[in-house]
Amino acid sequence: VQLQASGGGLVQAGESLRLSCQASGFTLGDYAVAWFRRAPGKEREAISCTDDSDGYSQYFYADSVKGRFTISRDGAKNTVYLQMNSLKPEDTAVYYCAAGNTGPLNQKPYKYDYWGQGTLVTVSS
């Protein structure tokens, strides 16, 4: 059972990146999935979640990324994506994906059972 996060890199402000979170050993579509980030000197924060446990897709976005980031699933690839547009220097962080049977749109890290290894996003001004 593994989550593999990828797609980070160094970009300039205003550019875009797409992060991927691919699962192996389990079906990611059966779980709520969240993206967290930890910026230098700050605590880990939930920035986006998606959950289909109530029979329809639900989404959460932190205010800091709302309108710029989009979370999506590709069931065929057992992957969840985080499309990040209009990146800002304050988006610089290590980004983690996580999956778990957490209940709808849970933003508490301890509720998630599986974690990816983190991918670094650096946005220069």
Side-chain angles (χ1 to χ4, degrees):
V1 174
Q2 190 176 9
L3 283 178
Q4 181 73 35
S6 61
L10 172 63
V11 297
Q12 294 188 332
E15 294 184 340
S16 299
L17 279 174
R18 188 178 75 163
L19 305 184
S20 299
C21 177
Q22 185 170 36
S24 58
F26 67 105
T27 301
L28 199 54
D30 293 338
Y31 293 83
V33 179
W35 285 95
F36 293 81
R37 70 183 180 189
R38 176 172 281 159
K42 296 187 178 181
E43 293 189 356
R44 182 171 44 182
E45 63 168 334
I47 56 170
S48 185
C49 311
T50 182
D51 188 356
D52 299 340
S53 60
D54 287 342
Y56 60 96
S57 297
Q58 301 180 73
Y59 303 95
F60 160 80
Y61 295 98
D63 287 344
S64 57
V65 306
K66 198 173 294 182
R68 300 187 298 123
F69 290 11
T70 303
I71 191 170
S72 62
R73 296 183 186 262
D74 184 334
K77 295 183 178 180
N78 210 21
T79 299
V80 169
Y81 301 101
L82 185 69
Q83 178 67 43
M84 306 187 297
N85 298 330
S86 303
L87 283 161
K88 303 176 181 180
E90 51 264 43
D91 294 318
T92 294
V94 178
Y95 285 70
Y96 301 88
C97 62
N101 286 315
T102 67
L105 302 180
N106 202 299
Q107 298 151 50
K108 295 179 173 59
Y110 67 86
K111 289 286 190 178
Y112 289 84
D113 300 311
Y114 308 114
W115 287 82
Q117 81 284 9
T119 184
L120 176 62
V121 173
T122 304
V123 185
S124 64
S125 58

